[in-house]
Amino acid sequence: MRVIVFGATGMIGHGALRACLLDQEVTEVLAVVRSPLDVAHPKLRQIIHADFTDFGPIQDQLQGLDACFYCLGISAVGRNEDEYTRVTHDYTLAAAHALHTASPDLTFCYVSGEGTDPTGKSRQMWARVKGRTENELGAMDMTAYMFRPGYVQPVDGAVSRTPFYRGAHRVIGRLYPLLRRVCPRYVTTTQAVGRAMLAVTRTEGTSPTVLRNGDINHLTLGRSPGHSAAA
């Protein structure tokens, strides 16, 4: 299996990239980045690309792919709707269309977030933008899964770029083993998200198209996620 990863420098992208590199069924991993990753691995090939609204210059390198793990994103804190939409919606759809053209049978996994609103009625700007993005991905003629993780604990060296989240992870990380036992439907890890992305590519369409923390954790245990998680 050949996988392409967007956002490999981010916290969840780190988990997705690591899961792919460790998985024996993944033969090649392409990471689309603006600057080189400080990672070396026989499976890894990095594609340096600057304009995430236009993938024409690298279109020929997007052929023959089996899955895309789209983990690219930014925090909405301190950003206006236009700026946030450009990165969250425009970049995502540009990548999806380019990939669908080059690899029409590809499975697209999009990292959204708990609280995403596909109805467009939320007062939260980020929830509306992510909801619109989910809707347009779902309307495309391709297999697409929307990952809506809630609390995600970074592991295996993953680190959030947002200072507030880094502080929260340090504090909550001490309680995570207890939280995982008491409320496993509400917490997960970067490792689990990466493994769950790989898992849905092998479910042959039996997984719900929207996956939350409980579904993610079930997939990493080799269980089928509950259809109640679908939206």
Side-chain angles (χ1 to χ4, degrees):
M1 179 164 66
R2 300 180 67 231
V3 180
I4 188 167
V5 178
F6 288 79
T9 59
M11 187 183 87
I12 293 182
H14 177 280
L17 177 63
R18 188 172 187 275
C20 290
L21 296 178
L22 292 174
D23 192 285
Q24 294 184 355
E25 293 184 24
V26 176
T27 57
E28 184 179 21
V29 185
L30 278 63
V32 181
V33 292
R34 284 199 173 93
S35 56
L37 294 170
D38 187 19
V39 179
H41 193 281
K43 292 184 186 181
L44 179 63
R45 181 160 67 88
Q46 301 186 43
I47 300 176
I48 310 300
H49 185 65
D51 186 358
F52 278 56
T53 63
D54 179 13
F55 293 95
I58 63 169
Q59 187 79 23
D60 60 338
Q61 299 183 64
L62 307 181
Q63 298 177 2
L65 296 169
D66 299 294
C68 171
F69 298 161
Y70 196 92
C71 310
L72 181 66
I74 57 172
S75 169
V77 177
R79 293 183 170 87
N80 61 41
E81 186 163 351
D82 287 344
E83 181 183 5
Y84 188 74
T85 297
R86 178 176 173 82
V87 175
T88 303
H89 172 273
D90 299 354
Y91 287 5
T92 307
L93 269 295
H97 283 292
L99 286 165
H100 182 58
T101 299
S103 299
D105 296 325
L106 169 143
T107 296
F108 195 94
C109 295
Y110 172 60
V111 177
S112 185
E114 185 63 55
T116 292
D117 175 31
T119 72
K121 298 177 181 179
S122 175
R123 294 183 179 180
Q124 300 295 319
M125 177 271 288
W126 72 266
R128 297 193 305 272
V129 174
K130 282 187 176 288
R132 176 187 167 199
T133 305
E134 284 191 0
N135 289 341
E136 294 186 25
L137 289 172
M140 291 179 64
D141 184 22
M142 67 177 182
T143 301
Y145 293 97
M146 315 305 166
F147 280 70
R148 293 186 189 173
Y151 179 78
V152 181
Q153 181 65 31
V155 296
D156 302 320
V159 178
S160 172
R161 290 183 169 186
T162 305
F164 173 80
Y165 291 148
R166 288 200 299 272
H169 291 147
R170 284 194 295 270
V171 174
I172 298 176
R174 300 167 188 166
L175 302 173
Y176 184 80
L178 174 61
L179 295 174
R180 183 68 178 84
R181 289 195 299 271
V182 174
C183 49
R185 290 181 58 83
Y186 301 101
V187 298
T188 192
T189 66
T190 50
Q191 179 188 76
V193 176
R195 289 180 176 176
M197 287 184 179
L198 285 167
V200 296
T201 67
R202 297 160 180 157
T203 59
E204 299 181 351
T206 59
S207 292
T209 57
V210 177
L211 300 104
R212 298 180 171 85
N213 280 358
D215 305 309
I216 291 166
N217 293 333
H218 274 82
L219 280 166
T220 61
L221 295 174
R223 303 172 186 168
S224 297
H227 289 281
S228 61

